[in-house]
Amino acid sequence: QVQLVESGGGLVQPGGSLRLSCAASGSIFSINTMGWYRQAPGKEREWVASIARILTPNYADSVKGRFTISRDNAKNTVALQMNSLKPEDTAVYYCAARVRTSSSSAEYNYWGQGTQVTVSS
């Protein structure tokens, strides 16, 4: 089994910053892409950012220039630095990873439990 555990959510004022972290553990042979998604109340889950094992990041247009994704392949962790936060960034943020559990297995997507980010004055 593979577990993803997020941390770092909370309440912040507009214009502020937060850093989310996610650690993957368990039966991990290799991790391909790691990323972050979010889901606001009454809305569908949306992709925020992702980063491949070769460390190429990609961002949704709504966060480009404000958020930075990074990962540590040796520690199986991914982080999301969020700056210039806006009220519309309020959501539950989920970590995701595409994991291979053995050399012969297929890749599967795993998800964390989510962490709440609230941007409000």
Side-chain angles (χ1 to χ4, degrees):
Q1 269 290 10
V2 176
Q3 298 82 37
L4 301 180
V5 178
E6 301 109 332
S7 60
L11 172 65
V12 64
Q13 292 186 343
S17 298
L18 278 176
R19 182 177 178 85
L20 304 183
S21 297
C22 173
S25 62
S27 302
I28 297 172
F29 176 78
S30 64
I31 301 178
N32 190 346
T33 302
M34 301 187 81
W36 292 91
Y37 290 72
R38 66 186 181 187
Q39 187 167 19
K43 295 188 177 182
E44 294 187 352
R45 189 174 298 188
E46 65 173 359
W47 168 72
V48 175
S50 58
I51 183 167
R53 184 169 182 82
I54 58 173
L55 306 182
T56 305
N58 289 284
Y59 302 95
D61 288 343
S62 59
V63 307
K64 200 171 293 183
R66 300 187 298 122
F67 291 11
T68 302
I69 190 170
S70 60
R71 70 184 278 180
D72 185 329
N73 289 333
K75 296 181 179 180
N76 290 333
T77 59
V78 63
L80 186 68
Q81 177 66 42
M82 305 185 293
N83 299 329
S84 302
L85 282 161
K86 306 175 181 179
E88 52 263 43
D89 294 318
T90 295
V92 177
Y93 283 71
Y94 297 91
C95 171
R98 192 157 180 83
V99 179
R100 191 189 301 272
T101 55
S102 72
S103 60
S104 59
S105 72
E107 291 181 342
Y108 293 96
N109 292 324
Y110 292 86
W111 295 86
Q113 81 286 354
T115 185
Q116 177 70 47
V117 172
T118 302
V119 185
S120 174
S121 54

